[in-house]
Amino acid sequence: MNYRNILFDLDGTLTDPREGITRSVQYALAKLDIHEPDLASLEHFIGPPLLQCFMQTYHLSEARAWEAVNHYRDRFKVTGLYENRVFDGVETLLARLGEQGRTLYIATSKPTVFAREIARHFGFDRHFRRIYGSELDGTRTNKVDLIAHLLEEEGLATEDTLMIGDRKHDLIGASRNGLHGAGVGYGFGSREELLDESPDYYFASLDELTRAFG
């Protein structure tokens, strides 16, 4: 694990955003007169780009899905951002990586403005050189595009950089940009989903991931 640069996904990798995301999705759907009482059935919204998830799950047109995204953001930016928690052990991991002289980045499909506020509010922003997310207009919600942008902006060498995430989108984004990828099994992607992408590493728990860095 001799990588100088480590890219972290946010939702499901650093934090558990289950409550804030599912309640905000539920709120958005209700605004469209779609009622989903079971929050657990909305957990698949954690990780993928929201617009595509609304379109695919509820067969919405792009225009209608954008309405849902905007309703989602109305609640999320006020309440949902903070219905979140940092996974136990993340602080220890980030501190260890910093002590080892590695440079850390966040690479998330979540809009940058929300990702920065989450990192600030929960106090782990100090560990990261920079936080990269999407734009509110949907630009760079695709992890392939996002990671490509990050690599170019920071001038990172692919052989020195590792992407860590809990969904297939993180691993696809890594591999298509020539990076090694690590899937983590404590988030929201199943073991099968992650292993189907043939990651360079798979860590079932945060403790396993931490131990891998010595």
Side-chain angles (χ1 to χ4, degrees):
M1 304 293 278
N2 296 318
Y3 301 97
R4 296 176 60 189
N5 313 300
I6 312 293
L7 315 184
F8 282 93
D9 173 49
L10 178 57
D11 295 337
T13 303
L14 297 174
T15 71
D16 180 349
R18 184 190 322 255
E19 181 180 359
I21 290 178
T22 57
R23 289 191 181 280
S24 297
V25 170
Q26 185 184 56
Y27 171 87
L29 291 171
K31 288 288 188 179
L32 301 186
D33 203 27
I34 301 170
H35 302 285
E36 290 283 7
D38 181 17
L39 290 176
S41 71
L42 302 176
E43 289 182 7
H44 67 282
F45 275 85
I46 303 171
L50 275 178
L51 182 71
Q52 286 75 19
C53 213
F54 277 120
M55 290 174 69
Q56 292 167 6
T57 305
Y58 296 98
H59 309 291
L60 302 179
S61 67
E62 184 171 348
R64 193 73 165 147
W66 268 117
E67 289 182 39
V69 169
N70 290 328
H71 289 312
Y72 170 94
R73 289 174 177 170
D74 287 343
R75 183 186 187 280
F76 189 79
K77 67 186 178 184
V78 175
T79 305
L81 274 170
Y82 309 108
E83 295 171 325
N84 202 342
R85 72 174 185 88
V86 181
F87 284 119
D88 295 337
V90 160
E91 181 65 34
T92 298
L93 170 61
L94 298 180
R96 175 176 297 183
L97 295 174
E99 289 165 3
Q100 292 172 348
R102 305 179 200 261
T103 305
L104 311 183
Y105 301 88
I106 289 176
T108 174
S109 294
K110 186 183 294 301
T112 304
V113 63
F114 296 157
R116 286 177 177 165
E117 173 58 14
I118 290 167
R120 183 208 64 78
H121 178 77
F122 290 97
F124 56 84
D125 55 333
R126 68 187 185 281
H127 295 290
F128 294 92
R129 173 167 288 181
R130 194 169 172 191
I131 296 171
Y132 283 85
S134 63
E135 302 299 325
L136 290 170
D137 66 0
T139 303
R140 290 190 292 277
T141 54
N142 184 297
K143 274 287 172 72
V144 177
D145 298 337
L146 176 71
I147 293 173
H149 174 70
L150 187 159
L151 294 174
E152 182 178 5
E153 287 289 304
E154 299 294 329
L156 304 184
T158 55
E159 65 272 16
D160 290 335
T161 305
L162 175 70
M163 176 70 204
I164 301 174
D166 70 310
R167 298 300 305 269
K168 66 181 181 181
H169 312 83
D170 303 305
L171 301 176
I172 293 168
S175 64
R176 293 193 183 172
N177 281 286
L179 305 186
H180 285 172
V184 294
Y186 56 84
F188 293 92
S190 68
R191 177 184 175 89
E192 180 181 32
E193 173 185 326
L194 294 169
L195 294 184
D196 278 351
E197 300 305 326
S198 302
D200 298 281
Y201 309 96
Y202 175 79
F203 303 105
S205 67
L206 187 52
D207 186 52
E208 281 186 25
L209 174 62
T210 304
R211 289 201 306 268
F213 286 101

